[in-house]
Amino acid sequence: MLYLETFLLCITVATCALIRFLLLLVLLYLKRKGFQSIPSAPVDSFYKGHVKTLKRAKANNYILDLFAEWQQRYGQTVAFFTWGRSLILTSDPEILKHVITDLKKFRKLNRLPNRSFCGQRLAGWNSILTGGGTNWAAKRKIMNQFFGKTNMDNIFSFCKPYLDSYLRKTLMPKVGQGKTLELVEELTLIFLSFPLCLGVEEVLTPEETARNLIQILKMISKPNEYNFLQKVFFAADTERINTTKMIIDMRAKLWEHTAQRMEELKHEDEIKPSDILGHLIRANEACNFERGEVISCIVDDLMTLYLVLDNNVKQIASMMLHLNKYPTVYAKLVKEVRCTEITDLKSLTSLVYTEKVILESLRMSPALLRGTRKFVSEDEKPQQFGGYRFPSGTHFTFSQYLIHHDNEIWENAEMFNPDRWTPDFKTDPFTYIPFLVGPRACLGKHFAMLTMKLVITALLRNFDLEERFNEKAKPVIDRGRALLRIKNRVNYHFSPAIQGQKIEF
């Protein structure tokens, strides 16, 4: 009797599991039926969708090549599926207009690697980059006073002397020793020095911040490369533990410094135009946060600032890799830099060709290679964009890299050609989006352009750079992740520039 009851129980459980599986298949079919009008690559299997293809592309670092192949074969807008999720890859400017600018219907995802790491808050959920809603809008309004174009003159007056001092005291002695320097490491030290002259005192030295940041970025960029046992037995993963400790230590020191600065601001009537920490404090105080949360959100913003400055580092490093292939462009750039004395923002702005080179570098290798938004309809009904109807809950993926390399949009898209940026050159606002556009356009784009120009002119004016790449591991631009990364060491030999010497590369 007992055996019969056990047998019947097993039959019941198996039947329920089978019914559940069949219901899932029916629901999956009905869900994907809403995407029948949208072109799609053949799925690996009905249940998994394109999971196998995507995993293989990610493992071999050609996810963007896969997306480019799909768009070339099936059009600008392509549907693909991962288990129960339906995703849309699009480069259609008409659809992108909605995806990028409509904040109510298209929302950023909460699960982003820069928000937390192993349960430890990193850049948080309410920073000027990752936040949303009324608090985020209030913060951006105040921070625009700092990052706005009209304030760049003030920022220049602090950053330029500080950069000159850094080159003289730190970089020149290294060059004098005749060492081969790793460009990304040196640029990281330079860019992480800028907050020190903008109101964020030396809580951590640039060297310590750079070391921590390199480790943090390394870890958050490969969270899925850990096997199951490492994830279960987290205590055995020393690298993750040490990275988490770094984050805790950085946030604790920034918290203490922020709390002290908040007390000082109570006795100050105005904030200096160049005081970024003061502006962040005022911006977060304008939000509906409790005091403890205000400080945490300010620390979120400072951590975000460090992470974003790293984008500028990779941008200049990738620019140099492009210039390696175009010696005439490099020579023209150096000539302009060395023939122009940079004394104020106006003289920096006069570097027309330098700006063209930066704009072209941002086109060829944007810091953000791809982005994702989730479409949420208020009435849960499908809506039409760009000739297609999309159900609520659809995830949209767009790639700045693919848009910038589309030969239908850009003439000779694979050629690094700064001369395309003439005063008469016009582009659709949704076909050139290194800083995005609309309400979520990069708040610090003017600051990014200013600091990149300052660093480029300082390096090329003072030094001749000669590549010393490892022939077996030459540096390449890593396109396998959402953010621009450089694979392998970017080694250069720096030597003091001889003014008037013919430039060779």
Side-chain angles (χ1 to χ4, degrees), residues 350-364:
S350 70
L351 297 172
V352 176
Y353 194 72
T354 303
E355 178 154 339
K356 289 181 179 181
V357 170
I358 295 174
L359 291 174
E360 185 68 353
S361 177
L362 288 166
R363 184 189 69 82
M364 293 287 287

Side-chain angles (χ1 to χ4, degrees), residues 184-221:
V184 172
E185 292 176 1
E186 297 305 322
L187 289 172
T188 301
L189 289 173
I190 291 172
F191 275 98
L192 291 182
S193 298
F194 284 131
L196 301 182
C197 62
L198 298 173
V200 184
E201 295 178 9
E202 197 165 320
V203 180
L204 298 166
T205 64
E207 290 78 13
E208 188 178 2
T209 305
R211 185 169 61 251
N212 290 353
L213 188 63
I214 289 170
Q215 176 63 17
I216 291 168
L217 288 168
K218 171 189 172 184
M219 296 300 291
I220 67 174
S221 66

Side-chain angles (χ1 to χ4, degrees), residues 192-259:
L192 291 182
S193 298
F194 284 131
L196 301 182
C197 62
L198 298 173
V200 184
E201 295 178 9
E202 197 165 320
V203 180
L204 298 166
T205 64
E207 290 78 13
E208 188 178 2
T209 305
R211 185 169 61 251
N212 290 353
L213 188 63
I214 289 170
Q215 176 63 17
I216 291 168
L217 288 168
K218 171 189 172 184
M219 296 300 291
I220 67 174
S221 66
K222 60 172 188 178
N224 295 321
E225 293 182 15
Y226 291 89
N227 61 42
F228 175 75
L229 289 176
Q230 285 177 310
K231 291 178 180 178
V232 173
F233 301 104
F234 172 67
D237 193 340
T238 306
E239 193 172 21
R240 279 194 167 196
I241 292 174
N242 291 338
T243 304
T244 305
K245 286 180 178 178
M246 283 181 182
I247 297 171
I248 293 172
D249 181 60
M250 284 183 71
R251 288 188 64 94
K253 290 179 178 179
L254 290 170
W255 174 290
E256 183 179 353
H257 176 57
T258 300

Side-chain angles (χ1 to χ4, degrees), residues 255-269 277 281-282 285 291 295 298:
W255 174 290
E256 183 179 353
H257 176 57
T258 300
Q260 181 182 346
R261 185 76 182 99
M262 287 177 73
E263 291 299 318
E264 294 172 357
L265 280 179
K266 291 180 180 179
H267 308 288
E268 297 179 14
D269 296 328
L277 181 54
I281 291 171
R282 289 285 188 260
E285 286 178 337
R291 177 175 170 78
I295 301 179
I298 296 168

